Amino acid sequence: MTSPKIDSPAKSSAPVIRVCVVEDDSVVREQLAHQLGHAAGIVCVSSQRSAEAALEEIPRQNPDVVLMDINLPKMSGIDCVRHLKGRLPNTKFIMLTVYEDADVIFKSLLAGAVGYLLKGRAGSSAQVLEAVRDAAHGGSPLNSLIARKIVQYFHHQPARPGTEQPITTREREVLELLSKGLPYKEIADMLGVSIETVRKHCHNIYEKLQVSSRTEAVVKFLGK
């Protein structure tokens, strides 16, 4: 099996974000590798077209971030993340998929994914690179679908004393803007804060959803 060419990063003294791509579509896989290889501060260290190949290669690479397709030929991307997460607890997994089904989102998050991007909306280089940088720096990349789910959760499921921490007014504002599909930079400009602050709010929201029980929190916000 011949892997697509991985572009070498531009020389820089700053640390780079090491990324692996798992995608069975060769065109999409090569496009992602190219985008990552030409981005400042990011390097694509390997790409695989199946979960089986990923399970063998990714632990050797120990990447910072993995872009994982869900609909792989044999083992699914969700199962692949579940297996890899136990071996690579510090690696951040972002799911790439065409699915908007809530059950698929639920299973992805429970498997250990920190972010979820829809392929139709993640096609631009800017969105993919923003999600990679976000995850690498401790954030939780949220697309508008997930943001809407969380907004609905907080609207209809008030926090129980002693379990889930209350969401702040600013965190709710961030979620409302995310649910409209706005990118981090535009949200930061509208709120008069930095992109890092927006990322931190998203990270805090995920933490609050998972305070009492990760499974219970995700099930509840997805309306299960």
Side-chain angles (χ1 to χ4, degrees):
M1 176 179 67
T2 302
S3 297
K5 180 181 182 291
I6 308 301
D7 297 287
S8 299
K11 292 183 179 179
S12 172
S13 58
V16 297
I17 301 170
R18 304 176 72 255
V19 185
C20 289
V21 175
V22 186
E23 166 63 62
D24 67 319
D25 186 312
S26 61
V27 174
V28 175
R29 188 171 65 250
E30 290 173 7
Q31 180 184 45
L32 287 170
H34 179 79
Q35 290 173 354
L36 295 166
H38 284 77
I42 298 176
V43 58
C44 182
V45 295
S46 73
S47 66
Q48 292 80 41
R49 66 182 184 185
S50 70
E52 292 74 19
L55 289 174
E56 180 178 348
E57 178 63 21
I58 289 179
R60 291 201 289 260
Q61 298 291 344
N62 192 24
D64 301 300
V65 178
V66 173
L67 295 176
M68 177 72 69
D69 182 28
I70 285 182
N71 191 26
L72 296 171
K74 294 181 181 179
M75 178 186 291
S76 74
I78 295 174
D79 287 335
C80 186
V81 168
R82 187 177 294 111
H83 285 292
L84 287 171
K85 191 63 182 175
R87 300 166 66 183
L88 300 169
N90 295 323
T91 296
K92 310 302 181 183
F93 294 88
I94 301 173
M95 310 308 291
L96 289 174
T97 180
V98 297
Y99 298 111
E100 292 194 31
D101 184 81
D103 187 57
V104 175
I105 299 173
F106 165 72
K107 291 177 180 177
S108 297
L109 296 176
L110 291 185
V114 300
Y116 188 101
L117 294 176
L118 297 175
K119 284 187 180 180
R121 301 172 193 173
S124 74
S125 176
Q127 274 189 297
V128 172
L129 299 180
E130 179 183 13
V132 166
R133 293 188 176 106
D134 181 22
H137 291 96
S140 300
L142 302 173
N143 64 19
S144 59
L145 172 66
I146 296 180
R148 284 196 300 272
K149 296 286 185 181
I150 300 176
V151 169
Q152 292 166 7
Y153 164 74
F154 280 117
H155 278 318
H156 301 110
Q157 298 290 337
R160 299 192 304 256
T163 55
E164 296 161 10
Q165 301 175 43
I167 186 173
T168 67
T169 300
R170 180 46 60 90
E171 287 166 353
R172 185 183 293 275
E173 289 174 345
V174 170
L175 274 174
E176 293 284 2
L177 293 173
L178 280 168
S179 70
K180 296 176 182 178
L182 299 180
Y184 283 3
K185 186 179 187 306
E186 190 169 341
I187 292 172
D189 291 341
M190 291 179 67
L191 298 179
V193 300
S194 68
I195 293 179
E196 288 303 319
T197 298
V198 175
R199 287 173 175 158
K200 182 62 176 177
H201 284 314
C202 291
H203 179 71
N204 288 343
I205 290 163
Y206 262 42
E207 288 295 310
K208 289 178 180 182
L209 283 171
Q210 300 169 11
V211 164
S212 59
S213 164
R214 178 184 177 91
T215 302
E216 178 185 5
V218 177
V219 169
K220 285 172 63 179
F221 96 70
L222 287 175
K224 296 293 180 177

